[in-house]
């Protein structure tokens, strides 16, 4: 037991302790029974957690395609930062619960490098965690802050607001589809596939829209990040806000990588229901659209207006529809 504890501590020391310290509010980080943290009196604390499980959120090791640990570290922090971005929060801290099947130095080094590359970019102090042996499971809790009363909730959408989404959708889901196809078809060589080469980073190393979220905090009435699929995530806004949404088919920003797919319906389906894009979907009063579009463009972020918030149709039960009233036959990712 004593020996096991020793190696657990050296693992923490080597790969996770003392690697990031950006905030004066970090009074005590990794090393004690708990971290000691403080936020200024004029700000609120935002907290969110996400888990990634091998075989569920990323492909199992040993299959033809396996994710490199650097990307896993990157993505674990990225998906959490994306949740924070969707509230308009600014990142502060993270804690990491790491369950690994074995002590693999090479793996830990890479994972830690990926994680801290993102921590450096987005100024996140890793202030604690837990390390256990078991099936590969990566959990990270993120802490951020926003000025009091300013965090953007899902519940603020108003009838007449425009519905917007950043950049484009569908690549991550398309990459998963191509990888799955290649697992069942040995003639499809993943490494040679130019589409995969050029777009895999969208799946493996997403860029959370943190600065964009901070701008949108002052303009949007409701916001969500697109992690389970656009329609599924927009439904969350509709349900929380007690409103409906109508979308325009031609306005959905389908990623250009999907142009190889023959059918328009299939392309649209990936963009509407594919998860893992980590774009931001927000609602906004039409009068603020121009300014916000300009401000986001300065960050290199495109905005598409994809529809409008309408009165809730209580009898119907389906909150998100095409503008002509027809159903959008898509469901986002659900674990159960
Ligand atoms: P305890 O037994 O008191 O819960 P641990 O032995 O689990 O403490 O952890 C020792 C210290 O290392 C704590 O400060 C904890 O937050 C930190 N820690 C443990 N695992 C990790 C990890 N994977 N990443 C970052 N910090 C960690
Ligand atoms: Mg303790």
């Amino acid at each position: 037991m004593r020996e096991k504890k020793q190696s657990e501590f050296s693992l923490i020391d080597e790969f996770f302790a003392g690697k990031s310290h950006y905030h004066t509010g970090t009074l005590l980080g990794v090393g004690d029974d708990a971290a000691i943290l403080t936020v200024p009196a004029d700000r609120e604390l935002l907290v969110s957690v996400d888990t990634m499980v091998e075989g569920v959120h990323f492909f199992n090791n040993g299959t033809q395609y396996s994710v490199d640990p650097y990307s896993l570290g990157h993505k674990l922090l990225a998906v959490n930062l994306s949740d924070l971005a969707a509230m308009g929060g600014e990142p502060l801290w993270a804690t990491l619960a790491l369950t690994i099947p074995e002590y693999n130095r090479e793996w830990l080094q890479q994972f830690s490098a990926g994680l801290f590359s993102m921590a450096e970019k987005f100024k996140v102090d890793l202030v604690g965690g837990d390390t256990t042996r078991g099936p590969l499971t990566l959990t990270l809790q993120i802490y951020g802050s926003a000025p009091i009363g300013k965090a953007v909730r899902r519940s603020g959408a108003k009838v007449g607001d425009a519905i917007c989404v950043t950049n484009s959708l569908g690549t991550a889901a398309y990459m998963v589809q191509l990888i799955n196809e290649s697992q069942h078809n040995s003639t499809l060589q993943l490494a040679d596939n130019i589409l995969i080469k050029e777009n895999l980073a969208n799946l493996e190393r997403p860029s959370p829209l943190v600065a964009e979220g901070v701008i949108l905090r002052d303009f949007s009435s409701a916001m969500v990040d697109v992690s389970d699929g656009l329609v599924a995530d927009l439904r969350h806004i509709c349900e929380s806000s007690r409103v409906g949404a109508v979308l325009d088919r031609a306005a959905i920003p389908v990623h250009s990588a999907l142009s190889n797919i023959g059918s328009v319906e299939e392309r649209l389906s990936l963009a509407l229901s594919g998860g893992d894009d980590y774009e931001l979907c927000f609602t906004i009063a039409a009068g603020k659209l121009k300014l916000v579009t300009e401000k986001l463009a300065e960050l290199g972020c495109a905005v598409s207006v994809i529809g409008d918030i309408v009165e809730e149709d209580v009898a119907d039960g389906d909150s998100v529809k095409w503008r002509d009233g027809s159903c959008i036959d898509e469901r986002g990712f659900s674990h159960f």
Side-chain angles (χ1 to χ4, degrees):
M1 190 63 208
R2 190 178 162 75
E3 232 170 61
K4 182 178 164 284
K5 261 295 179 195
Q6 280 305 342
S7 66
E8 183 183 316
F9 290 141
S10 62
L11 179 160
I12 295 162
D13 271 350
E14 185 171 357
F15 300 109
F16 301 109
K19 300 227 183 266
S20 49
H21 192 168
Y22 302 105
H23 302 288
T24 51
T26 309
L27 304 183
L28 186 65
V30 171
D32 213 310
D33 293 309
I36 308 177
L37 311 168
T38 173
V39 282
D42 58 345
R43 296 181 77 88
E44 284 167 342
L45 188 62
L46 309 175
V47 183
S48 181
V49 64
D50 257 320
T51 293
M52 287 167 41
V53 180
E54 182 173 33
V56 179
H57 299 90
F58 52 96
F59 289 89
N60 283 68
N61 228 337
T63 47
Q64 188 193 347
Y65 167 85
S66 57
V67 190
D68 67 285
Y70 186 100
S71 293
L72 288 177
H74 173 116
K75 186 161 181 176
L76 183 64
L77 193 43
V79 301
N80 278 282
L81 285 166
S82 179
D83 280 323
L84 206 56
M87 304 295 290
E90 285 149 274
L92 289 167
W93 306 296
T95 56
L96 170 68
L98 192 60
T99 302
I100 44 179
E102 58 180 350
Y103 188 134
N104 177 338
R105 285 198 79 240
E106 176 70 10
W107 190 96
L108 283 161
Q109 206 155 21
Q110 296 274 324
F111 173 79
S112 163
L115 186 81
F116 284 107
S117 72
M118 289 298 275
E120 188 184 352
K121 187 165 179 195
F122 291 95
K123 304 290 174 263
V124 177
D125 293 350
L126 184 70
V127 294
D130 194 26
T131 307
T132 53
R133 185 192 294 271
L136 187 58
T137 305
L138 313 168
T139 299
L140 189 134
Q141 180 138 5
I142 191 95
Y143 302 76
S145 75
I148 288 174
K150 294 289 187 191
V152 187
R153 303 172 189 222
R154 295 176 175 184
S155 55
K158 300 275 179 304
V159 173
D161 282 353
I163 303 167
C164 301
V165 69
T166 55
N167 301 313
S168 61
L169 300 166
T171 17
Y174 185 37
M175 292 301 108
V176 172
Q177 184 176 308
L178 289 179
I179 291 163
N180 276 326
E181 281 168 11
S182 77
Q183 312 269 31
H184 299 117
N185 180 348
S186 54
T187 60
L188 278 176
Q189 284 302 318
L190 270 186
D192 301 336
N193 188 321
I194 188 82
L195 263 177
I196 293 217
K197 262 190 204 156
E198 285 177 359
N199 297 291
L200 192 60
N202 282 300
L203 173 67
E204 290 194 337
R205 300 188 188 180
S207 309
L209 300 175
V210 174
E212 290 81 351
V214 170
I215 289 176
L216 286 165
R217 171 169 93 195
D218 292 330
F219 297 93
S220 61
S221 51
M223 184 150 59
V224 71
D225 68 320
V226 182
S227 54
D228 293 335
L230 176 69
V231 175
D233 290 318
L234 180 55
R235 267 196 198 106
H236 296 317
I237 288 186
C238 289
E239 278 154 25
S240 304
S241 303
R242 301 184 166 281
V243 294
V246 292
L247 301 185
D248 299 305
R249 217 177 268 263
I252 308 296
V254 181
H255 193 283
S256 59
L258 277 64
S259 56
N260 276 51
I261 300 173
S263 115
V264 180
E265 287 307 313
E266 201 188 333
R267 286 202 287 262
L268 206 51
S269 164
L270 280 170
L272 292 169
S273 66
D276 265 7
D277 283 316
Y278 303 104
E279 297 298 336
L280 294 173
C281 174
F282 59 93
T283 60
I284 184 168
K288 300 179 182 170
L289 253 176
K290 187 167 174 288
L291 183 57
V292 97
T293 304
E294 284 167 10
K295 282 184 178 282
L296 291 188
E298 282 168 22
L299 299 178
C301 177
V303 173
S304 298
V305 181
I306 58 169
D308 294 302
I309 294 295
V310 296
E311 299 270 1
E312 179 185 33
D313 183 347
V314 186
D316 186 321
D318 194 3
S319 50
V320 183
K321 301 200 153 205
W322 293 122
R323 194 176 289 279
D324 66 9
S326 59
C327 286
I328 301 177
D329 186 22
E330 301 300 331
R331 293 286 177 273
F333 184 79
S334 166
H335 284 273
F336 301 102

